[in-house]
Every structure is written in C-alpha cells, then in structure tokens.
Amino acid sequence: DADVTQTPRNRITKTGKRIMLECSQTKGHDRMYWYRQDPGLGLRLIYYSFDVKDINKGEISDGYSVSRQAQAKFSLSLESAIPNQTALYFCATSEAFGNEQFFGPGTRLTVL
Amino acid sequence: SQQGEEDPQALSIQEGENATMNCSYKTSINNLQWYRQNSGRGLVHLILIRSNEREKHSGRLRVTLDTSKKSSSLLITASRAADTASYFCATESGGTSYGKLTFGQGTILTVHP
C-alpha cells in the first residue's frame, strides 16, 4: 500500500464551488506539505505543517486553506474555486526538515 | 519565485548515452535535492546533497554541488528508456525558508531506445 495517498485523484468542478482535497500518510511523519504544479513549471508550496498544532503559509496560500486533523491527515480546501486554480496538487511528508520528502500520487483538479 | 533554475529545459538522447542536467540557485542553501517525475505522477526522491558535500553517488546517478558557483549537476550514466522523465532540483535554505523546498522548473529527459 502507498505510504502517502491523496483523494480524489481527479476532480472537475465549477467556479465558486468549495473543494476539499485530502491527504493521508502512514509514514508517521510530523511534517506535511501541499504543493501545486502547473504545466511546464516546478512545484510551488501552498501550505506546510510542522506538526498538528503548527501550520504555516507557503509561497502561494491565497485562495487556499488547510486543516491538520491528525498527524496522518492534512486537507487542502479551496473555499471558492476559480479557473486559475486548475492544476495538479501534491501532498508530501518528511521525517524532519533537511530530509527527503515523500510525495503522494497527486490530484488533478479542473475548475470550469 | 523559484530558487532553482534548470538547464537544459529539455534533453533528448539515445539509450546508453550519459545525461547531464544542471541547476543554479540564488541564495545560500542547507541542502539540494533531486527528484524525478514520470508523466503526471508524484515526485520520487533521487539524491540529497548537503552544503558541506561536493559529490554524491547513487547507482548510475552522480550529483555534484559547487556552493561557490551556486550550482549543481545531475549525471545519469548509461541511460535507459525507463529514465525518461522530468527531473527537478529543489533547494532548502535556512532562516525563514527553513524546512521548505523551492523547486526549479525541471528538465524533461527523453531517452530513445
């Protein structure tokens, strides 16, 4: 079974809808991250979490919010989706800062 | 903003040849990491090199780091068709950027059988 899972894997929604993307991990890591990837670009950090009680904004947090429900779960919400949020979204975990990150398979989100 | 800039943007080679990808960055770093991404899939970690290291090897992969030039290179030797993927460098810096990876835009590698 995959160590980092994301649901849904694909989602098509309409402008103005609220969307939640979920991430679960079985690696026992405290650090979790949400990234977005646009075609031909690298990943950009949306939010990251040191542990359940510590959540921080990344490079592009506007229009997004997150919830760390437990060590194993980190959810990303788009309160009112807009077309330029169409992208591939990745969740990642790491054991500690300065270590490698482990990525989920991604969620492809399309906002019409 | 992107810390890492990769060169070339795309690389096409024949199986058996070596592939070299370069990454340049702007600010001092704690470590630099290389990841591979097969089309539309999640990233897979390849190598992490710390700022006090100059070279690391892992199988057919060799990574060098030159902190004076703020650059790194990834060499894949004896490439295979299965190496076809996008390759990203990512840097982790200190201060307010501690614990955060900043990714380059990637190099698309195509290895022809």
Side-chain angles (χ1 to χ4, degrees), chain A residues 33 35 37 40-45 48 50 57-59 88 90 97-101 103-106 108, chain B residues 1-2 31 33 35 37 40-45 48 50 88 92 96 98-101 103-106:
Chain A
Y33 311 80
Y35 295 91
Q37 183 179 33
L41 299 178
L43 277 66
R44 291 182 291 167
L45 184 63
Y48 62 109
F50 292 175
K57 292 182 178 180
E59 182 185 351
L88 194 52
F90 289 103
F97 293 144
N99 286 20
E100 64 185 287
Q101 293 188 11
F103 284 79
R108 187 171 298 279
Chain B
S1 63
Q2 290 185 318
N31 68 70
Q33 304 179 31
Y35 289 82
Q37 182 183 33
R41 299 194 174 188
L43 278 71
V44 174
H45 181 264
L48 182 154
R50 303 197 184 279
F88 295 91
E92 182 180 332
T96 57
Y98 182 60
K100 297 186 288 186
L101 285 180
F103 284 82
Q105 82 281 6

mmCIF file of all heavy atoms in Angstrom, chain A residues 33 35 37 40-45 48 50 57-59 88 90 97-101 103-106 108, chain B residues 1-2 31 33 35 37 40-45 48 50 88 92 96 98-101 103-106:
data_model
loop_
_atom_site.group_PDB
_atom_site.id
_atom_site.type_symbol
_atom_site.label_atom_id
_atom_site.label_comp_id
_atom_site.label_asym_id
_atom_site.label_seq_id
_atom_site.Cartn_x
_atom_site.Cartn_y
_atom_site.Cartn_z
ATOM 1 N N TYR A 33 3.095 18.706 3.663
ATOM 2 C CA TYR A 33 3.166 19.830 2.730
ATOM 3 C C TYR A 33 2.095 19.683 1.655
ATOM 4 O O TYR A 33 1.739 18.568 1.272
ATOM 5 C CB TYR A 33 4.534 19.861 2.023
ATOM 6 C CG TYR A 33 5.735 19.734 2.924
ATOM 7 C CD1 TYR A 33 6.148 18.496 3.402
ATOM 8 C CD2 TYR A 33 6.478 20.867 3.286
ATOM 9 C CE1 TYR A 33 7.251 18.376 4.229
ATOM 10 C CE2 TYR A 33 7.590 20.745 4.110
ATOM 11 C CZ TYR A 33 7.972 19.505 4.569
ATOM 12 O OH TYR A 33 9.076 19.383 5.381
ATOM 13 N N TYR A 35 1.552 21.181 -2.313
ATOM 14 C CA TYR A 35 2.133 21.895 -3.451
ATOM 15 C C TYR A 35 1.132 21.913 -4.602
ATOM 16 O O TYR A 35 0.272 21.052 -4.706
ATOM 17 C CB TYR A 35 3.377 21.177 -3.972
ATOM 18 C CG TYR A 35 4.552 21.106 -3.051
ATOM 19 C CD1 TYR A 35 4.731 20.037 -2.169
ATOM 20 C CD2 TYR A 35 5.543 22.096 -3.079
ATOM 21 C CE1 TYR A 35 5.836 19.960 -1.342
ATOM 22 C CE2 TYR A 35 6.653 22.021 -2.253
ATOM 23 C CZ TYR A 35 6.799 20.950 -1.394
ATOM 24 O OH TYR A 35 7.899 20.889 -0.589
ATOM 25 N N GLN A 37 1.291 22.174 -8.992
ATOM 26 C CA GLN A 37 2.159 22.155 -10.162
ATOM 27 C C GLN A 37 1.350 22.567 -11.371
ATOM 28 O O GLN A 37 0.288 22.001 -11.647
ATOM 29 C CB GLN A 37 2.748 20.764 -10.383
ATOM 30 C CG GLN A 37 3.729 20.709 -11.544
ATOM 31 C CD GLN A 37 4.315 19.331 -11.743
ATOM 32 O OE1 GLN A 37 3.664 18.321 -11.505
ATOM 33 N NE2 GLN A 37 5.576 19.272 -12.169
ATOM 34 N N GLY A 40 4.557 22.614 -17.192
ATOM 35 C CA GLY A 40 5.858 23.159 -17.538
ATOM 36 C C GLY A 40 6.569 23.876 -16.409
ATOM 37 O O GLY A 40 7.639 24.445 -16.622
ATOM 38 N N LEU A 41 5.979 23.818 -15.208
ATOM 39 C CA LEU A 41 6.587 24.512 -14.070
ATOM 40 C C LEU A 41 6.943 23.523 -12.980
ATOM 41 O O LEU A 41 6.451 22.415 -12.912
ATOM 42 C CB LEU A 41 5.627 25.560 -13.515
ATOM 43 C CG LEU A 41 5.199 26.668 -14.457
ATOM 44 C CD1 LEU A 41 4.215 27.598 -13.756
ATOM 45 C CD2 LEU A 41 6.400 27.443 -14.971
ATOM 46 N N GLY A 42 7.769 23.960 -12.113
ATOM 47 C CA GLY A 42 8.069 23.156 -10.938
ATOM 48 C C GLY A 42 6.941 23.240 -9.931
ATOM 49 O O GLY A 42 5.862 23.770 -10.206
ATOM 50 N N LEU A 43 7.177 22.716 -8.752
ATOM 51 C CA LEU A 43 6.163 22.748 -7.702
ATOM 52 C C LEU A 43 6.281 24.024 -6.884
ATOM 53 O O LEU A 43 7.389 24.493 -6.607
ATOM 54 C CB LEU A 43 6.335 21.541 -6.775
ATOM 55 C CG LEU A 43 5.717 20.242 -7.242
ATOM 56 C CD1 LEU A 43 6.401 19.713 -8.488
ATOM 57 C CD2 LEU A 43 5.752 19.212 -6.126
ATOM 58 N N ARG A 44 5.132 24.545 -6.488
ATOM 59 C CA ARG A 44 5.111 25.709 -5.610
ATOM 60 C C ARG A 44 4.378 25.353 -4.330
ATOM 61 O O ARG A 44 3.325 24.721 -4.359
ATOM 62 C CB ARG A 44 4.443 26.895 -6.310
ATOM 63 C CG ARG A 44 5.262 27.459 -7.475
ATOM 64 C CD ARG A 44 4.580 28.660 -8.092
ATOM 65 N NE ARG A 44 3.361 28.300 -8.791
ATOM 66 C CZ ARG A 44 2.442 29.172 -9.211
ATOM 67 N NH1 ARG A 44 2.603 30.463 -8.985
ATOM 68 N NH2 ARG A 44 1.359 28.747 -9.853
ATOM 69 N N LEU A 45 4.940 25.792 -3.210
ATOM 70 C CA LEU A 45 4.435 25.422 -1.900
ATOM 71 C C LEU A 45 3.219 26.262 -1.524
ATOM 72 O O LEU A 45 3.267 27.488 -1.562
ATOM 73 C CB LEU A 45 5.548 25.594 -0.862
ATOM 74 C CG LEU A 45 5.240 25.177 0.564
ATOM 75 C CD1 LEU A 45 4.959 23.688 0.660
ATOM 76 C CD2 LEU A 45 6.410 25.552 1.466
ATOM 77 N N TYR A 48 2.394 24.373 4.671
ATOM 78 C CA TYR A 48 3.120 23.279 5.266
ATOM 79 C C TYR A 48 2.861 23.250 6.765
ATOM 80 O O TYR A 48 2.500 24.269 7.371
ATOM 81 C CB TYR A 48 4.620 23.350 4.960
ATOM 82 C CG TYR A 48 5.352 24.560 5.473
ATOM 83 C CD1 TYR A 48 6.255 24.453 6.532
ATOM 84 C CD2 TYR A 48 5.169 25.801 4.887
ATOM 85 C CE1 TYR A 48 6.949 25.555 6.989
ATOM 86 C CE2 TYR A 48 5.858 26.914 5.345
ATOM 87 C CZ TYR A 48 6.755 26.784 6.382
ATOM 88 O OH TYR A 48 7.427 27.889 6.843
ATOM 89 N N PHE A 50 4.356 21.744 10.533
ATOM 90 C CA PHE A 50 5.429 21.115 11.315
ATOM 91 C C PHE A 50 4.882 19.934 12.112
ATOM 92 O O PHE A 50 5.551 18.917 12.268
ATOM 93 C CB PHE A 50 6.036 22.102 12.293
ATOM 94 C CG PHE A 50 6.813 23.225 11.662
ATOM 95 C CD1 PHE A 50 7.323 24.250 12.440
ATOM 96 C CD2 PHE A 50 7.031 23.280 10.304
ATOM 97 C CE1 PHE A 50 8.037 25.296 11.874
ATOM 98 C CE2 PHE A 50 7.738 24.318 9.721
ATOM 99 C CZ PHE A 50 8.247 25.326 10.524
ATOM 100 N N LYS A 57 1.901 29.274 6.146
ATOM 101 C CA LYS A 57 1.655 29.589 4.745
ATOM 102 C C LYS A 57 2.924 29.396 3.936
ATOM 103 O O LYS A 57 4.030 29.658 4.399
ATOM 104 C CB LYS A 57 1.182 31.037 4.609
ATOM 105 C CG LYS A 57 -0.195 31.290 5.202
ATOM 106 C CD LYS A 57 -0.618 32.729 4.975
ATOM 107 C CE LYS A 57 -2.019 32.965 5.520
ATOM 108 N NZ LYS A 57 -2.465 34.368 5.310
ATOM 109 N N GLY A 58 2.716 28.961 2.699
ATOM 110 C CA GLY A 58 3.820 28.845 1.777
ATOM 111 C C GLY A 58 3.841 30.007 0.817
ATOM 112 O O GLY A 58 3.348 31.101 1.105
ATOM 113 N N GLU A 59 4.369 29.755 -0.356
ATOM 114 C CA GLU A 59 4.567 30.797 -1.363
ATOM 115 C C GLU A 59 3.262 31.324 -1.951
ATOM 116 O O GLU A 59 3.149 32.501 -2.283
ATOM 117 C CB GLU A 59 5.443 30.214 -2.470
ATOM 118 C CG GLU A 59 5.816 31.151 -3.587
ATOM 119 C CD GLU A 59 6.586 30.434 -4.697
ATOM 120 O OE1 GLU A 59 6.968 29.262 -4.499
ATOM 121 O OE2 GLU A 59 6.782 31.042 -5.752
ATOM 122 N N LEU A 88 -2.270 20.488 -10.922
ATOM 123 C CA LEU A 88 -2.003 19.204 -10.283
ATOM 124 C C LEU A 88 -1.543 19.505 -8.859
ATOM 125 O O LEU A 88 -0.644 20.325 -8.650
ATOM 126 C CB LEU A 88 -0.910 18.480 -11.071
ATOM 127 C CG LEU A 88 -0.639 16.998 -10.840
ATOM 128 C CD1 LEU A 88 -1.917 16.186 -10.946
ATOM 129 C CD2 LEU A 88 0.389 16.514 -11.848
ATOM 130 N N PHE A 90 -0.135 18.206 -5.126
ATOM 131 C CA PHE A 90 0.596 17.138 -4.471
ATOM 132 C C PHE A 90 0.692 17.383 -2.975
ATOM 133 O O PHE A 90 0.942 18.502 -2.528
ATOM 134 C CB PHE A 90 2.018 17.033 -5.030
ATOM 135 C CG PHE A 90 2.082 16.504 -6.431
ATOM 136 C CD1 PHE A 90 2.295 17.359 -7.494
ATOM 137 C CD2 PHE A 90 1.929 15.146 -6.667
ATOM 138 C CE1 PHE A 90 2.352 16.874 -8.790
ATOM 139 C CE2 PHE A 90 1.995 14.651 -7.961
ATOM 140 C CZ PHE A 90 2.205 15.519 -9.022
ATOM 141 N N PHE A 97 12.924 18.360 8.914
ATOM 142 C CA PHE A 97 13.437 19.310 7.932
ATOM 143 C C PHE A 97 14.871 18.916 7.595
ATOM 144 O O PHE A 97 15.612 18.444 8.438
ATOM 145 C CB PHE A 97 13.373 20.717 8.492
ATOM 146 C CG PHE A 97 11.970 21.206 8.691
ATOM 147 C CD1 PHE A 97 11.651 22.013 9.763
ATOM 148 C CD2 PHE A 97 10.972 20.871 7.806
ATOM 149 C CE1 PHE A 97 10.359 22.485 9.945
ATOM 150 C CE2 PHE A 97 9.675 21.326 7.982
ATOM 151 C CZ PHE A 97 9.370 22.139 9.061
ATOM 152 N N GLY A 98 15.237 19.139 6.353
ATOM 153 C CA GLY A 98 16.560 18.736 5.913
ATOM 154 C C GLY A 98 16.602 17.324 5.407
ATOM 155 O O GLY A 98 17.665 16.827 5.020
ATOM 156 N N ASN A 99 15.450 16.658 5.391
ATOM 157 C CA ASN A 99 15.353 15.298 4.867
ATOM 158 C C ASN A 99 14.577 15.274 3.558
ATOM 159 O O ASN A 99 13.932 16.241 3.186
ATOM 160 C CB ASN A 99 14.656 14.396 5.884
ATOM 161 C CG ASN A 99 15.545 14.057 7.070
ATOM 162 O OD1 ASN A 99 16.507 14.753 7.339
ATOM 163 N ND2 ASN A 99 15.188 13.008 7.777
ATOM 164 N N GLU A 100 14.609 14.138 2.903
ATOM 165 C CA GLU A 100 13.856 13.982 1.669
ATOM 166 C C GLU A 100 12.363 14.049 1.956
ATOM 167 O O GLU A 100 11.910 13.783 3.069
ATOM 168 C CB GLU A 100 14.179 12.647 1.018
ATOM 169 C CG GLU A 100 13.742 11.462 1.865
ATOM 170 C CD GLU A 100 14.158 10.136 1.280
ATOM 171 O OE1 GLU A 100 13.557 9.730 0.272
ATOM 172 O OE2 GLU A 100 15.079 9.520 1.843
ATOM 173 N N GLN A 101 11.607 14.416 0.913
ATOM 174 C CA GLN A 101 10.164 14.439 1.023
ATOM 175 C C GLN A 101 9.583 13.284 0.216
ATOM 176 O O GLN A 101 10.109 12.905 -0.835
ATOM 177 C CB GLN A 101 9.602 15.775 0.541
ATOM 178 C CG GLN A 101 10.011 16.923 1.457
ATOM 179 C CD GLN A 101 9.324 18.226 1.132
ATOM 180 O OE1 GLN A 101 8.373 18.282 0.353
ATOM 181 N NE2 GLN A 101 9.787 19.306 1.753
ATOM 182 N N PHE A 103 6.214 11.966 -1.738
ATOM 183 C CA PHE A 103 5.065 12.572 -2.395
ATOM 184 C C PHE A 103 3.941 11.580 -2.624
ATOM 185 O O PHE A 103 4.173 10.388 -2.894
ATOM 186 C CB PHE A 103 5.484 13.168 -3.738
ATOM 187 C CG PHE A 103 6.224 14.465 -3.606
ATOM 188 C CD1 PHE A 103 7.556 14.501 -3.260
ATOM 189 C CD2 PHE A 103 5.549 15.670 -3.803
ATOM 190 C CE1 PHE A 103 8.238 15.701 -3.120
ATOM 191 C CE2 PHE A 103 6.213 16.871 -3.660
ATOM 192 C CZ PHE A 103 7.555 16.892 -3.327
ATOM 193 N N GLY A 104 2.722 12.100 -2.554
ATOM 194 C CA GLY A 104 1.565 11.343 -2.967
ATOM 195 C C GLY A 104 1.449 11.336 -4.487
ATOM 196 O O GLY A 104 2.222 11.997 -5.181
ATOM 197 N N PRO A 105 0.451 10.617 -5.023
ATOM 198 C CA PRO A 105 0.311 10.481 -6.475
ATOM 199 C C PRO A 105 -0.284 11.697 -7.155
ATOM 200 O O PRO A 105 -0.255 11.793 -8.381
ATOM 201 C CB PRO A 105 -0.626 9.286 -6.613
ATOM 202 C CG PRO A 105 -1.433 9.315 -5.362
ATOM 203 C CD PRO A 105 -0.504 9.811 -4.281
ATOM 204 N N GLY A 106 -0.814 12.614 -6.384
ATOM 205 C CA GLY A 106 -1.350 13.839 -6.962
ATOM 206 C C GLY A 106 -2.847 13.802 -7.193
ATOM 207 O O GLY A 106 -3.451 12.737 -7.343
ATOM 208 N N ARG A 108 -5.522 15.742 -9.787
ATOM 209 C CA ARG A 108 -5.683 16.643 -10.934
ATOM 210 C C ARG A 108 -7.008 17.357 -10.792
ATOM 211 O O ARG A 108 -8.069 16.734 -10.846
ATOM 212 C CB ARG A 108 -5.629 15.866 -12.248
ATOM 213 C CG ARG A 108 -5.611 16.757 -13.478
ATOM 214 C CD ARG A 108 -5.345 15.963 -14.749
ATOM 215 N NE ARG A 108 -4.042 15.302 -14.729
ATOM 216 C CZ ARG A 108 -2.892 15.897 -15.018
ATOM 217 N NH1 ARG A 108 -2.880 17.179 -15.350
ATOM 218 N NH2 ARG A 108 -1.766 15.220 -14.993
ATOM 219 N N SER B 1 8.534 32.975 -6.345
ATOM 220 C CA SER B 1 9.798 32.990 -7.067
ATOM 221 C C SER B 1 10.442 31.610 -6.967
ATOM 222 O O SER B 1 10.188 30.864 -6.021
ATOM 223 C CB SER B 1 10.733 34.032 -6.480
ATOM 224 O OG SER B 1 11.044 33.710 -5.157
ATOM 225 N N GLN B 2 11.255 31.274 -7.955
ATOM 226 C CA GLN B 2 11.869 29.970 -7.972
ATOM 227 C C GLN B 2 13.350 30.121 -7.657
ATOM 228 O O GLN B 2 14.062 30.879 -8.306
ATOM 229 C CB GLN B 2 11.636 29.305 -9.324
ATOM 230 C CG GLN B 2 10.177 28.904 -9.512
ATOM 231 C CD GLN B 2 9.958 28.132 -10.804
ATOM 232 O OE1 GLN B 2 10.514 28.492 -11.821
ATOM 233 N NE2 GLN B 2 9.160 27.101 -10.759
ATOM 234 N N ASN B 31 20.716 22.307 1.901
ATOM 235 C CA ASN B 31 20.885 21.128 1.066
ATOM 236 C C ASN B 31 20.197 21.333 -0.273
ATOM 237 O O ASN B 31 19.377 22.251 -0.436
ATOM 238 C CB ASN B 31 20.356 19.860 1.762
ATOM 239 C CG ASN B 31 18.843 19.869 1.926
ATOM 240 O OD1 ASN B 31 18.090 19.758 0.965
ATOM 241 N ND2 ASN B 31 18.387 19.997 3.177
ATOM 242 N N GLN B 33 18.296 18.920 -3.372
ATOM 243 C CA GLN B 33 17.757 17.590 -3.636
ATOM 244 C C GLN B 33 17.363 17.474 -5.107
ATOM 245 O O GLN B 33 16.966 18.455 -5.726
ATOM 246 C CB GLN B 33 16.544 17.328 -2.736
ATOM 247 C CG GLN B 33 16.844 17.490 -1.253
ATOM 248 C CD GLN B 33 15.642 17.252 -0.363
ATOM 249 O OE1 GLN B 33 14.757 16.464 -0.693
ATOM 250 N NE2 GLN B 33 15.610 17.936 0.777
ATOM 251 N N TYR B 35 14.796 15.280 -7.707
ATOM 252 C CA TYR B 35 13.611 14.435 -7.783
ATOM 253 C C TYR B 35 13.327 14.088 -9.240
ATOM 254 O O TYR B 35 13.631 14.859 -10.150
ATOM 255 C CB TYR B 35 12.382 15.155 -7.200
ATOM 256 C CG TYR B 35 12.406 15.313 -5.705
ATOM 257 C CD1 TYR B 35 13.118 16.353 -5.111
ATOM 258 C CD2 TYR B 35 11.712 14.427 -4.881
ATOM 259 C CE1 TYR B 35 13.143 16.491 -3.725
ATOM 260 C CE2 TYR B 35 11.720 14.563 -3.496
ATOM 261 C CZ TYR B 35 12.437 15.594 -2.939
ATOM 262 O OH TYR B 35 12.452 15.729 -1.567
ATOM 263 N N GLN B 37 10.109 12.834 -11.873
ATOM 264 C CA GLN B 37 8.662 12.753 -12.016
ATOM 265 C C GLN B 37 8.341 12.122 -13.362
ATOM 266 O O GLN B 37 8.652 12.683 -14.406
ATOM 267 C CB GLN B 37 8.001 14.132 -11.927
ATOM 268 C CG GLN B 37 6.484 14.070 -12.021
ATOM 269 C CD GLN B 37 5.826 15.436 -11.997
ATOM 270 O OE1 GLN B 37 6.376 16.412 -12.497
ATOM 271 N NE2 GLN B 37 4.641 15.524 -11.405
ATOM 272 N N GLY B 40 2.883 13.126 -15.154
ATOM 273 C CA GLY B 40 1.655 13.282 -14.395
ATOM 274 C C GLY B 40 1.619 12.576 -13.069
ATOM 275 O O GLY B 40 0.572 12.533 -12.420
ATOM 276 N N ARG B 41 2.748 12.026 -12.625
ATOM 277 C CA ARG B 41 2.753 11.268 -11.378
ATOM 278 C C ARG B 41 3.484 12.034 -10.284
ATOM 279 O O ARG B 41 3.996 13.119 -10.496
ATOM 280 C CB ARG B 41 3.402 9.908 -11.606
ATOM 281 C CG ARG B 41 2.657 9.076 -12.627
ATOM 282 C CD ARG B 41 3.089 7.646 -12.593
ATOM 283 N NE ARG B 41 2.281 6.821 -13.473
ATOM 284 C CZ ARG B 41 2.366 5.508 -13.514
ATOM 285 N NH1 ARG B 41 3.195 4.864 -12.717
ATOM 286 N NH2 ARG B 41 1.603 4.844 -14.353
ATOM 287 N N GLY B 42 3.504 11.459 -9.095
ATOM 288 C CA GLY B 42 4.183 12.072 -7.971
ATOM 289 C C GLY B 42 5.687 12.054 -8.140
ATOM 290 O O GLY B 42 6.238 11.308 -8.929
ATOM 291 N N LEU B 43 6.344 12.923 -7.397
ATOM 292 C CA LEU B 43 7.799 13.014 -7.473
ATOM 293 C C LEU B 43 8.443 11.934 -6.613
ATOM 294 O O LEU B 43 7.946 11.586 -5.543
ATOM 295 C CB LEU B 43 8.264 14.390 -6.992
ATOM 296 C CG LEU B 43 8.187 15.512 -8.020
ATOM 297 C CD1 LEU B 43 6.759 15.905 -8.303
ATOM 298 C CD2 LEU B 43 9.000 16.713 -7.550
ATOM 299 N N VAL B 44 9.576 11.454 -7.096
ATOM 300 C CA VAL B 44 10.345 10.439 -6.381
ATOM 301 C C VAL B 44 11.714 11.016 -6.069
ATOM 302 O O VAL B 44 12.401 11.529 -6.967
ATOM 303 C CB VAL B 44 10.478 9.151 -7.220
ATOM 304 C CG1 VAL B 44 11.397 8.160 -6.517
ATOM 305 C CG2 VAL B 44 9.110 8.546 -7.477
ATOM 306 N N HIS B 45 12.108 10.930 -4.810
ATOM 307 C CA HIS B 45 13.397 11.466 -4.396
ATOM 308 C C HIS B 45 14.539 10.629 -4.955
ATOM 309 O O HIS B 45 14.493 9.391 -4.928
ATOM 310 C CB HIS B 45 13.465 11.486 -2.869
ATOM 311 C CG HIS B 45 14.731 12.037 -2.327
ATOM 312 N ND1 HIS B 45 15.796 11.252 -1.955
ATOM 313 C CD2 HIS B 45 15.112 13.317 -2.097
ATOM 314 C CE1 HIS B 45 16.768 12.030 -1.520
ATOM 315 N NE2 HIS B 45 16.376 13.290 -1.590
ATOM 316 N N LEU B 48 19.982 13.545 -2.097
ATOM 317 C CA LEU B 48 20.105 14.770 -1.301
ATOM 318 C C LEU B 48 21.587 15.019 -1.063
ATOM 319 O O LEU B 48 22.309 14.109 -0.652
ATOM 320 C CB LEU B 48 19.367 14.614 0.032
ATOM 321 C CG LEU B 48 19.334 15.805 0.995
ATOM 322 C CD1 LEU B 48 18.098 15.711 1.902
ATOM 323 C CD2 LEU B 48 20.589 15.883 1.864
ATOM 324 N N ARG B 50 24.199 17.773 0.873
ATOM 325 C CA ARG B 50 24.231 18.851 1.847
ATOM 326 C C ARG B 50 25.272 19.897 1.437
ATOM 327 O O ARG B 50 26.183 19.620 0.643
ATOM 328 C CB ARG B 50 24.497 18.300 3.241
ATOM 329 C CG ARG B 50 23.457 17.257 3.649
ATOM 330 C CD ARG B 50 23.413 16.982 5.118
ATOM 331 N NE ARG B 50 22.458 15.893 5.407
ATOM 332 C CZ ARG B 50 21.144 16.052 5.496
ATOM 333 N NH1 ARG B 50 20.604 17.255 5.344
ATOM 334 N NH2 ARG B 50 20.358 15.029 5.749
ATOM 335 N N PHE B 88 13.778 17.381 -11.388
ATOM 336 C CA PHE B 88 13.704 18.665 -10.700
ATOM 337 C C PHE B 88 14.772 18.752 -9.624
ATOM 338 O O PHE B 88 15.007 17.792 -8.890
ATOM 339 C CB PHE B 88 12.342 18.831 -10.019
ATOM 340 C CG PHE B 88 11.183 18.906 -10.968
ATOM 341 C CD1 PHE B 88 10.504 17.763 -11.353
ATOM 342 C CD2 PHE B 88 10.761 20.129 -11.470
ATOM 343 C CE1 PHE B 88 9.428 17.827 -12.233
ATOM 344 C CE2 PHE B 88 9.680 20.210 -12.341
ATOM 345 C CZ PHE B 88 9.024 19.057 -12.719
ATOM 346 N N GLU B 92 16.787 23.668 -0.138
ATOM 347 C CA GLU B 92 16.304 24.019 1.196
ATOM 348 C C GLU B 92 17.292 24.991 1.797
ATOM 349 O O GLU B 92 18.492 24.699 1.893
ATOM 350 C CB GLU B 92 16.160 22.794 2.086
ATOM 351 C CG GLU B 92 15.614 23.148 3.453
ATOM 352 C CD GLU B 92 15.463 21.951 4.370
ATOM 353 O OE1 GLU B 92 15.269 20.840 3.870
ATOM 354 O OE2 GLU B 92 15.551 22.131 5.588
ATOM 355 N N THR B 96 14.089 32.048 7.340
ATOM 356 C CA THR B 96 12.631 31.924 7.190
ATOM 357 C C THR B 96 12.250 30.836 6.195
ATOM 358 O O THR B 96 11.087 30.445 6.116
ATOM 359 C CB THR B 96 12.018 33.250 6.736
ATOM 360 O OG1 THR B 96 12.645 33.645 5.510
ATOM 361 C CG2 THR B 96 12.242 34.337 7.781
ATOM 362 N N TYR B 98 13.613 27.833 6.268
ATOM 363 C CA TYR B 98 13.987 26.551 6.846
ATOM 364 C C TYR B 98 12.838 25.565 6.750
ATOM 365 O O TYR B 98 11.711 25.871 7.111
ATOM 366 C CB TYR B 98 14.390 26.741 8.303
ATOM 367 C CG TYR B 98 14.845 25.470 8.971
ATOM 368 C CD1 TYR B 98 15.935 24.751 8.483
ATOM 369 C CD2 TYR B 98 14.181 24.972 10.094
ATOM 370 C CE1 TYR B 98 16.352 23.585 9.092
ATOM 371 C CE2 TYR B 98 14.596 23.811 10.708
ATOM 372 C CZ TYR B 98 15.688 23.126 10.209
ATOM 373 O OH TYR B 98 16.101 21.971 10.807
ATOM 374 N N GLY B 99 13.156 24.375 6.261
ATOM 375 C CA GLY B 99 12.159 23.329 6.171
ATOM 376 C C GLY B 99 11.334 23.373 4.907
ATOM 377 O O GLY B 99 10.505 22.493 4.693
ATOM 378 N N LYS B 100 11.522 24.362 4.061
ATOM 379 C CA LYS B 100 10.742 24.481 2.837
ATOM 380 C C LYS B 100 11.628 24.214 1.630
ATOM 381 O O LYS B 100 12.735 24.718 1.541
ATOM 382 C CB LYS B 100 10.138 25.877 2.724
ATOM 383 C CG LYS B 100 9.155 26.206 3.829
ATOM 384 C CD LYS B 100 8.478 27.538 3.586
ATOM 385 C CE LYS B 100 9.400 28.694 3.792
ATOM 386 N NZ LYS B 100 8.708 29.994 3.684
ATOM 387 N N LEU B 101 11.116 23.418 0.705
ATOM 388 C CA LEU B 101 11.817 23.166 -0.543
ATOM 389 C C LEU B 101 11.331 24.137 -1.608
ATOM 390 O O LEU B 101 10.136 24.368 -1.727
ATOM 391 C CB LEU B 101 11.575 21.747 -1.024
ATOM 392 C CG LEU B 101 12.316 20.615 -0.302
ATOM 393 C CD1 LEU B 101 11.947 19.278 -0.940
ATOM 394 C CD2 LEU B 101 13.819 20.840 -0.354
ATOM 395 N N PHE B 103 11.484 24.530 -5.679
ATOM 396 C CA PHE B 103 11.767 23.700 -6.844
ATOM 397 C C PHE B 103 12.114 24.539 -8.067
ATOM 398 O O PHE B 103 11.576 25.635 -8.271
ATOM 399 C CB PHE B 103 10.552 22.840 -7.185
ATOM 400 C CG PHE B 103 10.366 21.673 -6.266
ATOM 401 C CD1 PHE B 103 9.746 21.832 -5.036
ATOM 402 C CD2 PHE B 103 10.813 20.412 -6.621
ATOM 403 C CE1 PHE B 103 9.574 20.752 -4.173
ATOM 404 C CE2 PHE B 103 10.645 19.326 -5.779
ATOM 405 C CZ PHE B 103 10.031 19.502 -4.551
ATOM 406 N N GLY B 104 12.976 23.989 -8.906
ATOM 407 C CA GLY B 104 13.200 24.538 -10.226
ATOM 408 C C GLY B 104 12.095 24.102 -11.166
ATOM 409 O O GLY B 104 11.197 23.344 -10.790
ATOM 410 N N GLN B 105 12.171 24.578 -12.412
ATOM 411 C CA GLN B 105 11.099 24.285 -13.366
ATOM 412 C C GLN B 105 11.275 22.928 -14.038
ATOM 413 O O GLN B 105 10.389 22.453 -14.728
ATOM 414 C CB GLN B 105 10.972 25.394 -14.419
ATOM 415 C CG GLN B 105 11.962 25.301 -15.576
ATOM 416 C CD GLN B 105 13.347 25.800 -15.225
ATOM 417 O OE1 GLN B 105 13.644 26.127 -14.077
ATOM 418 N NE2 GLN B 105 14.208 25.862 -16.219
ATOM 419 N N GLY B 106 12.424 22.309 -13.847
ATOM 420 C CA GLY B 106 12.631 20.952 -14.317
ATOM 421 C C GLY B 106 13.282 20.830 -15.680
ATOM 422 O O GLY B 106 13.251 21.742 -16.507
#
